[in-house]
Amino acid sequence: MATTSSASPPLSALCSPAITIVDQNNASTISTVHQDIIETHIFTRLDGPTLASASCASTHLHALASQENLWTNICHSTWPSTTSSRVRHVISNFHNGPRSFFSDAFPLAIEPVSFGNSSENPPDLPSEIISAVDIYYKKELIFSKVVETETVSAWFKCSPFRVDLLDPKEAVSTRIPNPDKDDTCRYLEEDMELSWIIIDPIGKRAMNLSSQRPVNVHRHWLSGEVQVKFASVVGGGGIGAATELVQCGVVVTCGGSAKGEMHVREVSLQLEDMDGMYLNGKESLVMLTRGMAGKRGRGKKRESERKKEVEEFLERKRERKERKMRREGTLDTLCVAFGVSAFASSLLFLLFR
């Protein structure tokens, strides 16, 4: 069985390509600024990617930007769900603490690790996964929750994989106005954002499964409920197999209320292969493990790249369905031809015996 390293990608993976480590002689200019000013008045105003880029400018800034409290605050401000006690404890055990967690959870997972045939030689699977989810509307947090899912029971491994954050009768009130026209669905597509981070507490790895912004918004014609779909694509299955590419789909269902505002009634995650079949628990865990162990991108153009991945998945899915229909059509034609031939042969035999 192939093994993977638990070390997270370096901060340089998040740096802008235009920024490189400079010569030590040039670093003396920034070193003249008092350390307290840099730490208190500059770095605390930066977001994660900008701080990572700043750390690549010199060894002096790299040392200052590696402080744990900076990355802890960035993780908490970027993903409020990470403030929960369980997630804080898990993050503290990562290789470089919150800095490693951010390096895992912010960029895209673009190249899953290959473990060969997943059915014959599966990777070491986590005994538990943690979902840390945050939903924003117009930059305002409307939903945040952490859910722990055990993955060792036979029921989990054999049943269709699905993580639900809300009970069937549970609803969360929001300030989203109830859509009274089709334009409101377009506003949701523009103004709603979601982050769904899957965490392996034992392997000390994490991955963000969301497209950040919706890939599709649909309003049910009868109930009036609005389904907002976020998605990402992970790979790693055998070439030509249905699991060569798998879509991680997050559905947020919002319904109206008597007060004219929408309630969040469903937030769920499922994995779908290119045949349109939902993966079971074990299959999903293999794909998620591959994604968490894979290489990361630079975190740039996250939304456009995720949308492009989903469009490619849907196109591959459509082509696969068309090939399957052509094969079935050819098989049906052969069966009909064989049946006609058999009937004609039987008729001729009866006429000329």
Side-chain angles (χ1 to χ4, degrees):
M1 181 185 303
T3 58
T4 59
S5 172
S6 61
S8 298
L11 275 178
S12 58
L14 296 176
C15 297
S16 170
I19 298 179
T20 55
I21 301 296
V22 300
D23 187 81
Q24 287 290 337
N25 294 330
N26 298 329
S28 60
T29 57
I30 191 65
S31 64
T32 59
V33 180
H34 197 280
Q35 178 175 323
D36 290 343
I37 296 178
I38 297 176
E39 294 177 351
T40 308
H41 298 285
I42 299 179
F43 281 175
T44 55
R45 300 174 184 269
L46 304 181
D47 60 12
T50 308
L51 180 61
S53 294
S55 71
C56 297
S58 71
T59 54
H60 175 62
L61 290 182
H62 184 273
L64 297 179
S66 299
Q67 296 188 36
E68 184 171 317
N69 66 309
L70 286 173
W71 290 101
T72 297
N73 293 334
I74 285 176
C75 287
H76 291 174
S77 61
T78 306
W79 307 295
S81 57
T82 59
T83 60
S84 75
S85 58
R86 177 69 202 283
V87 176
R88 287 171 64 100
H89 175 72
V90 170
I91 292 177
S92 67
N93 291 325
F94 272 52
H95 179 64
N96 286 315
R99 183 159 59 98
S100 293
F101 179 81
F102 188 90
S103 297
D104 272 356
F106 184 81
L108 297 174
I110 59 174
E111 187 179 333
V113 167
S114 175
F115 294 95
N117 189 309
S118 60
S119 61
E120 296 178 359
N121 189 30
D124 292 330
L125 302 179
S127 59
E128 177 189 23
I129 56 175
I130 300 174
S131 298
V133 182
D134 301 288
I135 304 177
Y136 287 85
Y137 179 72
K138 291 186 175 180
K139 304 299 181 181
E140 180 182 346
L141 184 68
I142 62 172
F143 181 88
S144 183
K145 193 167 185 178
V146 174
V147 172
E148 303 172 26
T149 306
E150 66 83 19
T151 62
V152 296
S153 67
W155 179 87
F156 171 85
K157 293 179 180 179
C158 299
S159 300
F161 176 79
R162 181 184 174 103
V163 179
D164 285 291
L165 302 189
L166 295 174
D167 295 329
K169 295 184 179 181
E170 188 179 0
V172 177
S173 61
T174 71
R175 295 184 179 180
I176 304 175
N178 192 25
D180 54 359
K181 55 180 71 174
D182 292 338
D183 285 345
T184 307
C185 292
R186 179 170 57 85
Y187 298 150
L188 283 174
E189 188 169 357
E190 295 173 353
D191 297 328
M192 183 175 281
E193 300 178 44
L194 178 141
S195 168
W196 189 306
I197 302 176
I198 289 288
I199 307 171
D200 174 7
I202 305 301
K204 303 178 181 61
R205 297 307 303 262
M207 177 175 63
N208 201 324
L209 299 179
S210 176
S211 52
Q212 188 168 352
R213 293 191 183 273
V215 296
N216 180 265
V217 179
H218 171 73
R219 183 181 183 185
H220 194 276
W221 66 274
L222 181 60
S223 66
E225 289 187 334
V226 178
Q227 283 194 337
V228 186
K229 185 172 183 178
F230 302 81
S232 63
V233 177
V234 296
I239 298 177
T243 55
E244 181 181 354
L245 293 176
V246 172
Q247 179 178 254
C248 306
V250 178
V251 175
V252 179
T253 301
C254 301
S257 66
K259 295 182 179 180
E261 297 176 342
M262 303 196 73
H263 288 181
V264 176
R265 297 179 177 174
E266 175 194 354
V267 184
S268 61
L269 167 69
Q270 287 185 291
L271 271 64
E272 177 187 5
D273 66 19
M274 290 195 294
D275 284 338
M277 303 295 292
Y278 289 110
L279 275 60
N280 62 31
K282 183 178 180 180
E283 294 168 337
S284 299
L285 208 56
V286 170
M287 301 305 296
L288 293 176
T289 302
R290 293 182 176 203
M292 286 188 283
K295 294 181 180 179
R296 300 298 195 269
R298 293 184 178 273
K300 303 296 182 181
K301 300 180 181 179
R302 304 167 72 229
E303 300 170 28
S304 59
E305 289 183 6
R306 279 281 160 96
K307 197 164 187 178
K308 184 178 179 180
E309 288 177 353
V310 174
E311 290 173 352
E312 179 184 352
F313 172 84
L314 294 176
E315 179 65 20
R316 295 276 297 274
K317 180 181 175 181
R318 183 187 62 80
E319 293 175 353
R320 187 179 178 89
K321 183 178 180 180
E322 290 178 352
R323 288 196 300 268
K324 184 178 180 181
M325 291 178 65
R326 286 197 296 268
R327 288 196 299 266
E328 292 177 349
T330 302
L331 183 60
D332 290 343
T333 301
L334 292 174
C335 290
V336 171
F338 178 79
V340 171
S341 300
F343 175 77
S345 300
S346 301
L347 185 61
L348 290 173
F349 176 76
L350 292 175
L351 289 176
F352 297 102
R353 64 177 181 175

PDB file of all heavy atoms in Angstrom, residues 147-162:
ATOM      1  N   VAL A 147     -20.063  19.162  12.197  1.00  0.00           N
ATOM      2  CA  VAL A 147     -20.666  17.841  12.357  1.00  0.00           C
ATOM      3  C   VAL A 147     -19.573  16.779  12.279  1.00  0.00           C
ATOM      4  O   VAL A 147     -18.719  16.822  11.388  1.00  0.00           O
ATOM      5  CB  VAL A 147     -21.738  17.581  11.274  1.00  0.00           C
ATOM      6  CG1 VAL A 147     -22.213  16.135  11.323  1.00  0.00           C
ATOM      7  CG2 VAL A 147     -22.918  18.515  11.455  1.00  0.00           C
ATOM      8  N   GLU A 148     -19.607  15.843  13.211  1.00  0.00           N
ATOM      9  CA  GLU A 148     -18.658  14.732  13.226  1.00  0.00           C
ATOM     10  C   GLU A 148     -19.353  13.469  12.713  1.00  0.00           C
ATOM     11  O   GLU A 148     -20.469  13.165  13.123  1.00  0.00           O
ATOM     12  CB  GLU A 148     -18.122  14.512  14.636  1.00  0.00           C
ATOM     13  CG  GLU A 148     -17.451  15.742  15.230  1.00  0.00           C
ATOM     14  CD  GLU A 148     -17.094  15.564  16.694  1.00  0.00           C
ATOM     15  OE1 GLU A 148     -16.901  14.402  17.104  1.00  0.00           O
ATOM     16  OE2 GLU A 148     -17.031  16.571  17.417  1.00  0.00           O
ATOM     17  N   THR A 149     -18.688  12.747  11.811  1.00  0.00           N
ATOM     18  CA  THR A 149     -19.267  11.552  11.188  1.00  0.00           C
ATOM     19  C   THR A 149     -18.345  10.367  11.394  1.00  0.00           C
ATOM     20  O   THR A 149     -17.175  10.408  10.988  1.00  0.00           O
ATOM     21  CB  THR A 149     -19.485  11.769   9.683  1.00  0.00           C
ATOM     22  OG1 THR A 149     -20.272  12.951   9.476  1.00  0.00           O
ATOM     23  CG2 THR A 149     -20.199  10.581   9.063  1.00  0.00           C
ATOM     24  N   GLU A 150     -18.854   9.314  12.033  1.00  0.00           N
ATOM     25  CA  GLU A 150     -18.049   8.101  12.192  1.00  0.00           C
ATOM     26  C   GLU A 150     -18.061   7.346  10.868  1.00  0.00           C
ATOM     27  O   GLU A 150     -19.043   7.363  10.128  1.00  0.00           O
ATOM     28  CB  GLU A 150     -18.593   7.243  13.337  1.00  0.00           C
ATOM     29  CG  GLU A 150     -19.983   6.643  13.104  1.00  0.00           C
ATOM     30  CD  GLU A 150     -19.949   5.354  12.304  1.00  0.00           C
ATOM     31  OE1 GLU A 150     -18.872   4.743  12.235  1.00  0.00           O
ATOM     32  OE2 GLU A 150     -21.000   4.978  11.752  1.00  0.00           O
ATOM     33  N   THR A 151     -16.954   6.656  10.575  1.00  0.00           N
ATOM     34  CA  THR A 151     -16.815   6.018   9.267  1.00  0.00           C
ATOM     35  C   THR A 151     -16.423   4.541   9.340  1.00  0.00           C
ATOM     36  O   THR A 151     -15.988   3.978   8.342  1.00  0.00           O
ATOM     37  CB  THR A 151     -15.744   6.763   8.448  1.00  0.00           C
ATOM     38  OG1 THR A 151     -14.485   6.661   9.125  1.00  0.00           O
ATOM     39  CG2 THR A 151     -16.109   8.224   8.269  1.00  0.00           C
ATOM     40  N   VAL A 152     -16.570   3.928  10.502  1.00  0.00           N
ATOM     41  CA  VAL A 152     -16.093   2.553  10.656  1.00  0.00           C
ATOM     42  C   VAL A 152     -17.202   1.520  10.651  1.00  0.00           C
ATOM     43  O   VAL A 152     -16.938   0.326  10.469  1.00  0.00           O
ATOM     44  CB  VAL A 152     -15.265   2.407  11.963  1.00  0.00           C
ATOM     45  CG1 VAL A 152     -14.008   3.247  11.893  1.00  0.00           C
ATOM     46  CG2 VAL A 152     -16.101   2.793  13.174  1.00  0.00           C
ATOM     47  N   SER A 153     -18.429   1.908  10.856  1.00  0.00           N
ATOM     48  CA  SER A 153     -19.521   0.940  10.938  1.00  0.00           C
ATOM     49  C   SER A 153     -19.840   0.379   9.556  1.00  0.00           C
ATOM     50  O   SER A 153     -19.633   1.023   8.523  1.00  0.00           O
ATOM     51  CB  SER A 153     -20.773   1.589  11.533  1.00  0.00           C
ATOM     52  OG  SER A 153     -21.296   2.570  10.662  1.00  0.00           O
ATOM     53  N   ALA A 154     -20.383  -0.836   9.538  1.00  0.00           N
ATOM     54  CA  ALA A 154     -20.789  -1.471   8.286  1.00  0.00           C
ATOM     55  C   ALA A 154     -21.915  -0.687   7.625  1.00  0.00           C
ATOM     56  O   ALA A 154     -21.993  -0.615   6.392  1.00  0.00           O
ATOM     57  CB  ALA A 154     -21.226  -2.918   8.556  1.00  0.00           C
ATOM     58  N   TRP A 155     -22.779  -0.087   8.439  1.00  0.00           N
ATOM     59  CA  TRP A 155     -23.880   0.705   7.887  1.00  0.00           C
ATOM     60  C   TRP A 155     -23.349   1.879   7.095  1.00  0.00           C
ATOM     61  O   TRP A 155     -23.823   2.165   5.998  1.00  0.00           O
ATOM     62  CB  TRP A 155     -24.773   1.189   9.024  1.00  0.00           C
ATOM     63  CG  TRP A 155     -25.928   2.031   8.565  1.00  0.00           C
ATOM     64  CD1 TRP A 155     -27.160   1.606   8.164  1.00  0.00           C
ATOM     65  CD2 TRP A 155     -25.942   3.464   8.433  1.00  0.00           C
ATOM     66  NE1 TRP A 155     -27.937   2.671   7.787  1.00  0.00           N
ATOM     67  CE2 TRP A 155     -27.223   3.830   7.940  1.00  0.00           C
ATOM     68  CE3 TRP A 155     -25.015   4.464   8.680  1.00  0.00           C
ATOM     69  CZ2 TRP A 155     -27.580   5.142   7.694  1.00  0.00           C
ATOM     70  CZ3 TRP A 155     -25.364   5.780   8.428  1.00  0.00           C
ATOM     71  CH2 TRP A 155     -26.634   6.110   7.945  1.00  0.00           C
ATOM     72  N   PHE A 156     -22.339   2.576   7.624  1.00  0.00           N
ATOM     73  CA  PHE A 156     -21.772   3.717   6.917  1.00  0.00           C
ATOM     74  C   PHE A 156     -21.116   3.284   5.614  1.00  0.00           C
ATOM     75  O   PHE A 156     -21.300   3.923   4.569  1.00  0.00           O
ATOM     76  CB  PHE A 156     -20.747   4.438   7.790  1.00  0.00           C
ATOM     77  CG  PHE A 156     -19.969   5.501   7.057  1.00  0.00           C
ATOM     78  CD1 PHE A 156     -20.477   6.783   6.932  1.00  0.00           C
ATOM     79  CD2 PHE A 156     -18.735   5.207   6.476  1.00  0.00           C
ATOM     80  CE1 PHE A 156     -19.769   7.762   6.236  1.00  0.00           C
ATOM     81  CE2 PHE A 156     -18.030   6.177   5.790  1.00  0.00           C
ATOM     82  CZ  PHE A 156     -18.549   7.454   5.674  1.00  0.00           C
ATOM     83  N   LYS A 157     -20.345   2.202   5.649  1.00  0.00           N
ATOM     84  CA  LYS A 157     -19.585   1.789   4.480  1.00  0.00           C
ATOM     85  C   LYS A 157     -20.478   1.336   3.329  1.00  0.00           C
ATOM     86  O   LYS A 157     -20.138   1.539   2.161  1.00  0.00           O
ATOM     87  CB  LYS A 157     -18.618   0.671   4.857  1.00  0.00           C
ATOM     88  CG  LYS A 157     -17.504   1.121   5.799  1.00  0.00           C
ATOM     89  CD  LYS A 157     -16.591  -0.032   6.156  1.00  0.00           C
ATOM     90  CE  LYS A 157     -15.470   0.418   7.099  1.00  0.00           C
ATOM     91  NZ  LYS A 157     -14.593  -0.697   7.479  1.00  0.00           N
ATOM     92  N   CYS A 158     -21.619   0.715   3.645  1.00  0.00           N
ATOM     93  CA  CYS A 158     -22.470   0.138   2.607  1.00  0.00           C
ATOM     94  C   CYS A 158     -23.599   1.070   2.158  1.00  0.00           C
ATOM     95  O   CYS A 158     -24.131   0.902   1.062  1.00  0.00           O
ATOM     96  CB  CYS A 158     -23.068  -1.183   3.087  1.00  0.00           C
ATOM     97  SG  CYS A 158     -21.836  -2.450   3.467  1.00  0.00           S
ATOM     98  N   SER A 159     -23.980   2.018   2.985  1.00  0.00           N
ATOM     99  CA  SER A 159     -25.089   2.906   2.647  1.00  0.00           C
ATOM    100  C   SER A 159     -24.609   4.056   1.770  1.00  0.00           C
ATOM    101  O   SER A 159     -23.426   4.397   1.775  1.00  0.00           O
ATOM    102  CB  SER A 159     -25.709   3.479   3.927  1.00  0.00           C
ATOM    103  OG  SER A 159     -26.189   2.450   4.758  1.00  0.00           O
ATOM    104  N   PRO A 160     -25.522   4.657   0.987  1.00  0.00           N
ATOM    105  CA  PRO A 160     -25.141   5.841   0.215  1.00  0.00           C
ATOM    106  C   PRO A 160     -24.603   6.931   1.137  1.00  0.00           C
ATOM    107  O   PRO A 160     -25.181   7.232   2.171  1.00  0.00           O
ATOM    108  CB  PRO A 160     -26.459   6.266  -0.441  1.00  0.00           C
ATOM    109  CG  PRO A 160     -27.275   5.012  -0.511  1.00  0.00           C
ATOM    110  CD  PRO A 160     -26.916   4.244   0.715  1.00  0.00           C
ATOM    111  N   PHE A 161     -23.479   7.506   0.740  1.00  0.00           N
ATOM    112  CA  PHE A 161     -22.836   8.530   1.564  1.00  0.00           C
ATOM    113  C   PHE A 161     -23.644   9.821   1.509  1.00  0.00           C
ATOM    114  O   PHE A 161     -23.949  10.345   0.446  1.00  0.00           O
ATOM    115  CB  PHE A 161     -21.416   8.783   1.054  1.00  0.00           C
ATOM    116  CG  PHE A 161     -20.694   9.890   1.765  1.00  0.00           C
ATOM    117  CD1 PHE A 161     -20.115   9.676   2.999  1.00  0.00           C
ATOM    118  CD2 PHE A 161     -20.601  11.155   1.204  1.00  0.00           C
ATOM    119  CE1 PHE A 161     -19.439  10.692   3.666  1.00  0.00           C
ATOM    120  CE2 PHE A 161     -19.936  12.181   1.857  1.00  0.00           C
ATOM    121  CZ  PHE A 161     -19.355  11.944   3.088  1.00  0.00           C
ATOM    122  N   ARG A 162     -23.988  10.336   2.668  1.00  0.00           N
ATOM    123  CA  ARG A 162     -24.715  11.602   2.758  1.00  0.00           C
ATOM    124  C   ARG A 162     -24.475  12.190   4.152  1.00  0.00           C
ATOM    125  O   ARG A 162     -24.647  11.510   5.157  1.00  0.00           O
ATOM    126  CB  ARG A 162     -26.202  11.387   2.520  1.00  0.00           C
ATOM    127  CG  ARG A 162     -27.035  12.679   2.571  1.00  0.00           C
ATOM    128  CD  ARG A 162     -28.518  12.386   2.421  1.00  0.00           C
ATOM    129  NE  ARG A 162     -29.326  13.571   2.611  1.00  0.00           N
ATOM    130  CZ  ARG A 162     -29.889  14.274   1.646  1.00  0.00           C
ATOM    131  NH1 ARG A 162     -29.735  13.890   0.387  1.00  0.00           N
ATOM    132  NH2 ARG A 162     -30.625  15.345   1.907  1.00  0.00           N
TER     133      ARG A 162
END
